[in-house]
Amino acid sequence: QVQLVESGGGSVQAGGSLRLSCAASGNTPRYMGWFRQAPGKEREGVARIDTGGGSTYYADSVKGRFTISRDNARGTVNLQMNNLKPEDTDMYYCAANAGYFPGFVPGDWGYWGQGTQVTVSA
């Protein structure tokens, strides 16, 4: 059983930066991602990474501002978020999958963390 724990959320002013981290217990799945969700809205994909091959993919809304990466020394997958905007305010969730590299469809991911809140004020 894989457990994911997110950290690094918080409150920041527009234009600021935050760095989210996701730590996995047990065998870390090869494929990792970050999603976000606001109350009453569907969960949407933000970024995903193949930690084996290094491929990364981003939602259009965050390209050029967010960077997903694997920290092998710490065993975490991180999401560096720069130039944050008020519309980035959401609960952010770490996701993982073992057998194949899903797209941004939440139902295709097998493991989820509990989420960490990001709030960006204008």
Side-chain angles (χ1 to χ4, degrees):
Q1 185 71 14
V2 174
Q3 289 188 322
L4 305 176
V5 178
E6 303 98 334
S7 61
S11 297
V12 66
Q13 289 189 327
S17 298
L18 284 173
R19 185 171 180 263
L20 307 182
S21 291
C22 176
S25 63
N27 293 324
T28 303
R30 173 172 174 171
Y31 308 107
M32 304 288 289
W34 285 96
F35 288 73
R36 62 187 183 185
Q37 185 173 23
K41 294 188 176 181
E42 293 186 355
R43 191 167 293 188
E44 65 172 1
V46 175
R48 55 196 178 98
I49 183 170
D50 172 359
T51 63
S55 300
T56 57
Y57 299 88
Y58 297 92
D60 288 342
S61 58
V62 306
K63 281 180 182 177
R65 300 188 299 123
F66 291 11
T67 302
I68 188 170
S69 63
R70 166 78 173 172
D71 186 333
N72 289 321
R74 299 177 184 269
T76 60
V77 171
N78 304 315
L79 185 69
Q80 178 67 40
M81 304 186 296
N82 297 328
N83 190 21
L84 283 160
K85 304 176 180 180
E87 52 263 42
D88 294 318
T89 295
D90 270 326
M91 184 71 79
Y92 282 70
Y93 296 90
C94 178
N97 204 56
Y100 66 96
F101 195 13
F104 285 136
V105 177
D108 291 341
W109 293 77
Y111 305 98
W112 292 90
Q114 294 298 307
T116 184
Q117 179 68 38
V118 171
T119 302
V120 185
S121 58

